[in-house]
Amino acid sequence: MKMEQPEHCGEEVMPGSEASRLHVAVIMDGNGRWAKNRNWPRIVGHRKGAERCRELVAACPDLGIRYLTVYAFSTENWSRTTEEVLGLMSLFGRYIKREAARIKKEGVRMRFIGDRTPLDPKLRALFDWIEAETAENDRVHLTVAINYGGRDEIRRAAQSVARAVAAGELAADAVTNATITAHMDTAGLPDPDLVVRTSGESRVSNFLLWQAAYAEYVFTPVLWPDFTPEIMKTILDAYGQRERRFGGVLT
Ligand code: IPE
Ligand code: IPE
Ligand code: MG
């Protein structure tokens, strides 16, 4: 019997279908330890991490990565010191302003996932602005997870579905996996094929819980501020050797 692959988050086929649809998601971890190893403040590690992110985005076309989703701030990261949280928030704003021209030129479509409501209105306005400015781009899809938690995203999607049912727009029995997918922040994006986590931690930390159901995982000891496109290339070469079965059997 032919095995069916699980449905993917985005059913839409993007233009330029001959191009790769590879989706790599990255848990950019280890900035604090990188700085600590040098007796520098943690924010210096975050700044270096932002540079590494920029380099990776620029390298995506050569690496064959069409979709890159990066975890920048989790719903749990608010528990850090006010200094670190504010430092990160201002880094996100500066990154958008500084990178806007380059991102547009390189054909990058930028999106944000996560709950924006508690963020500073100025930062939210920057998110809206860069999303609109790059909405027509299709060469690389960069999605940045800020105030993102997989459980929180599922909770918000469930609320949104419940509201549609309560409004009589949808029958409860008609709710499918595709309905949930369409209510997630990632609606329109394919599921990640590969999730990479740096810094030697082998956990998911609430990242893309719904979407990464069949993703491959790679855990590397490299700290994020030391991560280069060459390291990603090595990981992708190894990923190419893996065989994804989606619950089926070898044919
Ligand atoms: C990842 O690096 C970046 C964020 C979570 C914002 P960390 O800040 O978690 O670095 P470590 O894990 O403390 O080294
Ligand atoms: C995950 O890293 C979140 C981001 C990379 C943004 P954390 O450092 O916050 O995760 P834990 O605390 O090690 O699980
Ligand atoms: Mg960490």
Side-chain angles (χ1 to χ4, degrees):
M1 195 171 86
K2 196 173 174 298
M3 296 306 304
E4 282 197 9
Q5 296 205 344
E7 67 193 270
H8 280 247
C9 272
E11 310 297 351
E12 280 167 50
V13 175
M14 304 286 173
S17 54
E18 72 288 354
S20 158
R21 281 179 60 83
L22 182 67
H23 184 171
V24 177
V26 183
I27 303 175
M28 308 182 292
D29 198 14
N31 296 350
R33 276 163 284 172
W34 183 89
K36 190 165 185 263
N37 291 343
R38 291 160 176 77
N39 283 319
W40 290 341
R42 294 177 61 86
I43 193 68
V44 180
H46 295 314
R47 278 189 214 126
K48 184 74 184 173
E51 274 176 47
R52 292 308 194 184
C53 183
R54 176 174 55 73
E55 286 167 17
L56 184 59
V57 173
C60 276
D62 285 345
L63 290 166
I65 299 174
R66 184 79 171 284
Y67 297 88
L68 178 71
T69 300
V70 295
Y71 204 4
F73 192 91
S74 77
T75 46
E76 288 70 37
N77 287 147
W78 296 104
S79 65
R80 299 188 178 197
T81 63
T82 309
E83 186 191 6
E84 184 168 355
V85 169
L86 291 179
L88 282 163
M89 293 296 157
S90 74
L91 186 59
F92 300 146
R94 262 183 291 144
Y95 185 93
I96 296 168
K97 284 189 240 170
R98 200 182 294 157
E99 291 305 306
R102 194 190 332 244
I103 280 171
K104 282 197 263 178
K105 203 174 92 212
E106 288 173 356
V108 177
R109 178 167 179 184
M110 195 170 185
R111 294 177 176 91
F112 294 88
I113 55 170
D115 182 3
R116 302 174 190 202
T117 50
L119 303 181
D120 183 279
K122 284 197 194 113
L123 186 59
R124 284 161 57 182
L126 277 175
F127 286 7
D128 293 342
W129 173 73
I130 196 76
E131 283 181 338
E133 285 286 305
T134 64
E136 303 303 318
N137 290 349
D138 187 40
R139 192 158 166 250
V140 175
H141 293 249
L142 169 65
T143 303
V144 185
I146 292 180
N147 192 28
Y148 177 87
R151 284 186 173 177
D152 186 64
E153 184 192 30
I154 292 167
R155 175 189 64 78
R156 288 185 286 107
Q159 282 181 337
S160 162
V161 171
R163 274 195 287 269
V165 171
E169 294 158 14
L170 186 67
D173 289 340
V175 174
T176 61
N177 286 353
T179 315
I180 311 279
T181 291
H183 284 81
M184 302 294 268
D185 297 346
T186 50
L189 293 169
D191 282 346
D193 301 290
L194 175 67
V195 180
V196 176
R197 183 172 188 151
T198 58
S199 90
E201 310 294 353
S202 315
R203 55 178 173 265
V204 172
S205 298
N206 209 3
F207 192 41
L208 301 177
L209 298 182
W210 173 267
Q211 299 86 344
Y214 270 97
E216 297 284 327
Y217 280 85
V218 170
F219 299 99
T220 165
V222 176
L223 301 175
W224 177 252
D226 291 326
F227 193 89
T228 58
E230 291 70 37
I231 299 173
M232 182 61 92
K233 171 92 175 62
T234 311
I235 290 171
L236 290 176
D237 288 346
Y239 164 78
Q241 308 297 314
R242 291 193 187 184
E243 181 184 85
R244 297 173 78 193
R245 293 188 201 161
F246 299 101
V249 290
L250 282 180
T251 48

